Each structure stands twice: as C-alpha cells, then as structure tokens.
C-alpha cells in the first residue's frame, strides 16, 4: 500500500509548531493502529505534541480519529437516558461503586466502562473483583441486558473500543509523554464518546495524590474534555475536586468495596457520601431527571440496585470480603490534632502493601491496603489508633512505612493544620 503521508514529515511539522491537518491526523492514527507508523515515530510525535501542544481543532480531529479506529457502542435499545462518569483517579477514590447504582436507582442507565489501577491510584475493576465470583469481562449483549434489567453495569472496555488509544497509551506510558493535555483529553474522551452515553460527568482531581496535581492544569484538562464532549454531542460537565488527602477512610480494593457498601446503606465517611451525592445530582441534571438521590441512598433503593448489579455479574453479595493475612496498627505518639496527611504518600504505602500493581501483568491483593482511623482536623489522644496497614506479606510493612516516612502523618496544634483544598473546587460546564 502506498501511504499518502510520511511519518517523518508529520513529526517535523509538529516539531516546527505547525498545525496538523485533518488528513494528516486521520492518516497517522490509522497507520499507527495498523502498524505502518512505527512505535519510535509515534513516540517522537507524542513528544512533539507534549512540547508544542495542539489547538482545539487538532484535538477534536485527533479524538475523532481515535474513535474511528474502533467500534462505537449503541445504546438506542435502552429507552431511559444513559449517563456516564469518569474520574481522573485518586487515592481512595471508590466513588463509581456507590454512584453507578445510585444514579440507576434514580431512573437513568449507567454504562460504566472502567479500568484497572496502575501505580498509586486504584482501579474500579480491581476493587469490584474482590467480590467473590464477580466478572468484569462481559459481552456486548450481556452488558446491554444488565443495563436494561438493572440500570447500572460496571465492566471492562472491550478490545474494540478506541484500539488506537490502547496502543498509544501504552507507548506514552514508557516514553515520558503521558502528561500532555491534548493527549490525555483525547485519550479519555475518545473512549467515553465511543461508549455512546448521552451524558457525561468528569471528576477531574487535583492535589498531591492526583494525576494533575496543579489546579491550573486540572482546569485546562477539564475544559478541554468538556469542549470535546460537547463537540461530539455528549452533554458533558466537569467538577474539579480535591485529592490532597485520601477520599474516605479506606484505601485498598476490598476495603473500598466495604466502605462503598456503607455509603449505600446510608452511612460511610462524610466526604465519600458528599462527593457521591454531588456527582449523582450533576448526572441526573444532565439527563433531566429531578429525583433526589439522597432519598434513594437513605431508603435502601440504591443498595438494592447495587446488589442486583453485583449478582447480575456473578458476584456473591453474601460472601465475606477478603481480608489481608497481616495487620499492623500505628498509634498516636502524643495528644493533639492531626495536622497533615499526604494522599500520595498514603496511596504509595497502600500500593506497596499489595493493593496496587507496578506492571500491567501484576496481580493485586484484594485484602491489602490502609484503613485510616483519623483524618486531618480530627483530635487524637496518645496511644489511639491512627491507621492500620493490611497485607498478605509481612515484609511489605517496612516498604509501606518507608513510603509514609516521605510525608508523615503529623500531630500538633489545631493552628498548625495544613491548608486543605475544599472537596468540590470548581464546576465547569
Ligand atoms: N487516562 C486515560 O485513559 N488516558 C490518559 O491519557 C490518562 C489517563
């Protein structure tokens, strides 16, 4: 086949800060997907994009080319509005678990295609897989049936959805080109648009435990993604939310499932409940449903939908969640107020305890992680538990403690409290 462009010319054009044309973008994405553009060429182009950026038109065209590399899902058989959520990820971010059944209990359909964790942030599928029997891999037919019957489904994206992104994301991961706003926005939104929901809420996290720690970058990413969604006819909004301290008290797969169940039963930590309800209200407003989600959380209907959703995917609602073999609790060395806690350090510690993976091929431990007994602002007395570490391999305690020593949890006077980001920082629509 005679190729209409040369990869080297496209790389040089971007290196010279030129705007790439639609034919160039369509070709480079298609040629890369079929192997006619080599990994090293795409890596050079990704680096040129990271350094020189892309304008809005190029980002739209790049996103469309990635969508067109695979299949588009079609939910036209679902008679109620479909609405989806994406979070850029953070420590203890289990919100999808209570949110999907809650929004479904309010009358929308939630097709939640999710991923696995890599690094210090956990993945929704890893969390759900700590439920005995639960299956992440569904056929398109199974997914539609569950969505129709239950209203919510959390499952893995099939290989046919934006395959160009799968290849490009793996390449960016090993070439220092992840942190480019045009590439992140097009990567996330190509999958979300191809998924075909009519509405979308984005939870863009900022703070030390987030992928975008700088709030200005988080805002730019959120606005770029909202623009892409709207351009594609998906009613999209974004919230910028705090990830400077862990969300909730549980960090780790089964621990986070347990905390999500508590929220679905009307309890749970205040920040997890508040963020779940805020995102649910946004999702319902996007699709024009006026039901109050708080009522569905407190009257048990959201929990009933959760149980139906888990059972539909083979999960055993009655089986106890796995718990790690070893536990070690750290207690307060003095009386005072917890003045600081760093989400990144806690996330890395949980990962080292076995809750996360360093390479895609690694297994995660379902029961490992950290349970916080105190959060910043809480009073603590000497000898009281501060946090508990859980692992299947005792040698990991030391690794986790080393991670926490980088940014220790401190106790002092209330006046010494670190400034904390508000949970909901900004709304972008
Ligand atoms: N998540 C994605 O799906 N893509 C990115 O580029 C970054 C985070």
């Amino acid at each position: 086949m005679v190729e209409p462009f040369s990869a080297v010319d496209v790389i040089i054009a971007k290196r010279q800060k030129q705007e790439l044309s639609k034919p160039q973008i369509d070709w480079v994405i298609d040629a890369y997907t079929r192997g006619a553009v080599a990994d090293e060429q795409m890596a050079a182009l990704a680096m040129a994009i990271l350094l020189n950026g892309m304008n809005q038109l190029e980002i739209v065209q790049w996103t469309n080319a990635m969508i067109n590399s695979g299949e588009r899902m079609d939910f036209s058989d679902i008679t109620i509005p479909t609405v989806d959520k994406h979070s850029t990820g953070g420590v203890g971010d289990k919100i999808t678990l209570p949110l999907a059944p809650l929004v479904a209990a309010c009358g929308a359909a939630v097709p939640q295609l999710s991923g696995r964790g890599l690094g210090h942030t956990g993945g929704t599928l890893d969390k759900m897989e700590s439920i005995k029997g639960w299956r992440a891999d569904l056929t398109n037919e199974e997914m539609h049936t569950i969505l129709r019957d239950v209203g919510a489904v959390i499952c893995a994206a099939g290989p046919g959805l934006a395959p160009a992104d799968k290849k490009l994301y793996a390449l960016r991961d090993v070439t220092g080109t992840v942190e480019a706003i045009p590439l992140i926005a097009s990567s996330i939104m190509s999958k979300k648009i191809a998924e075909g929901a009519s509405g979308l809420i984005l939870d863009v996290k900022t703070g030390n435990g987030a992928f975008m720690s700088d709030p200005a970058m988080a805002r730019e990413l959120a606005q770029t993604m909202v623009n892409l969604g709207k351009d594609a006819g998906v009613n999209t909004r974004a919230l910028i939310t705090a990830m400077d301290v862990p969300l909730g008290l549980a960090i780790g797969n089964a621990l986070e499932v347990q905390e999500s169940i508590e929220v679905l039963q009307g309890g749970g930590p205040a920040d997890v409940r508040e963020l779940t309800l805020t995102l649910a209200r946004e999702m319902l407003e996007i699709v024009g449903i006026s039901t109050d989600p708080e009522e569905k959380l407190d009257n048990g209907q959201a929990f009933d939908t959760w149980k139906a959703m888990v059972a539909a995917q083979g999960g055993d609602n009655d089986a106890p969640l796995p718990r790690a073999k070893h536990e070690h609790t750290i207690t307060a060395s003095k009386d005072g107020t917890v003045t600081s806690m760093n989400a990144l350090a806690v996330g890395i510690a949980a990962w080292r305890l076995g809750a996360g993976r360093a390479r895609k091929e690694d297994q995660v431990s379902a029961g490992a992680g950290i349970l916080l007994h105190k959060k910043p602002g809480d009073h603590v007395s000497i000898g009281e538990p501060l946090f508990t570490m859980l692992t299947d391999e005792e040698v990991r305690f030391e690794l986790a403690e080393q991670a926490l020593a980088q940014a220790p949890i401190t106790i002092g006077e209330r006046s010494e409290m670190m400034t904390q980001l508000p949970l909901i920082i900004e709304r972008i629509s």
Side-chain angles (χ1 to χ4, degrees), residues 373-417:
H373 303 295
K374 300 285 174 187
K375 295 272 291 264
D378 288 347
H379 180 266
V380 64
S381 305
I382 184 164
E384 245 193 301
L386 263 186
F387 61 92
T388 300
M389 299 184 286
L390 299 98
T391 184
D392 289 325
E393 297 162 83
E394 253 176 313
V395 288
R396 289 180 176 269
F397 284 133
E398 201 184 319
L399 299 174
E401 287 189 69
Q402 281 165 7
L404 285 166
Q406 302 297 314
I409 297 173
T410 53
I411 300 171
E413 297 294 322
R414 185 160 284 278
S415 58
E416 294 163 349
M417 281 258 314

Side-chain angles (χ1 to χ4, degrees), residues 169 172 183-184 187-188 191 211:
Y169 190 51
R172 286 167 53 215
L183 296 179
I184 300 170
S187 165
I188 293 172
K191 289 170 285 198
F211 174 62

Side-chain angles (χ1 to χ4, degrees), residues 341-353:
M341 179 178 289
N342 179 292
L344 179 61
V346 175
I348 293 176
W351 170 28
R352 300 242 171 106
L353 289 165

